[in-house]
Amino acid sequence: MSGMITEELKAKAEYYYGDEKCQEKSKFLLQEVGLPRGLLPLKDIIECGYVEETGFVWLKQKKKIEHCFEKIGKLVSYAPEITAFVEKGKIKKLTGVKTKELLLWVTLNEISLDEPHNEKLVCKTSAGLFRTFPASAFELQEDLNKKEQEQQQPPISN
């Protein structure tokens, strides 16, 4: 797996070290492609990188973590190394992310927004199975708070 991130690849990439910088960059990238910023709740990120020309992304964290998305009651496992290709509204060829379905861990390989509404995330496995969840379940709390405040503001009229 970790053979994918070669020095050759790094030569074409924008990459960073350290948890704080990588948290900031990974959330920014998710936002740029229109996905919820809470989709990759990693801890202790050591390194992250992005190759703009291909959309290839990698994230390395100190150890595997599990995160429960409370709103949908889903337990997700994130490996020490995660790789993917990102594009507008979609994460493809995802590695290192599994979700618990009944008693089994299932590997996810694609996450995308439903077109045209972009209110749901479709999570697919390599076997072609998929589940749909509200995109809001993966939002950061601060982003949800901001959206709520914006909706409560009366429109400015001239």
Side-chain angles (χ1 to χ4, degrees), residues 14 39 43 63 66 69 85 89 97 124 126 131 151:
E14 190 182 302
L39 206 52
K43 289 186 170 68
K63 60 182 194 296
E66 287 180 0
F69 288 97
F85 288 86
V97 180
K124 295 181 184 170
S126 49
R131 295 274 310 262
Q151 287 168 354

Side-chain angles (χ1 to χ4, degrees), residues 20-79:
E20 197 177 325
K21 193 70 170 165
C22 290
Q23 291 284 359
E24 180 191 312
K25 292 294 176 184
S26 61
K27 286 177 178 68
F28 178 73
L29 182 64
L30 285 168
Q31 186 178 323
E32 284 294 285
V33 297
L35 292 167
R37 294 188 327 143
L39 206 52
L40 297 170
L42 307 184
K43 289 186 170 68
D44 297 327
I45 306 174
I46 304 164
E47 180 186 311
C48 66
Y50 176 55
V51 181
E52 196 172 354
E53 99 190 62
T54 60
F56 181 73
V57 174
W58 75 90
L59 295 147
K60 290 181 184 182
Q61 57 183 350
K62 283 187 182 150
K63 60 182 194 296
K64 175 186 129 171
I65 65 152
E66 287 180 0
H67 177 82
C68 184
F69 288 97
E70 300 290 338
K71 290 182 181 157
I72 52 171
K74 273 283 157 222
L75 190 61
V76 180
S77 166
Y78 296 89

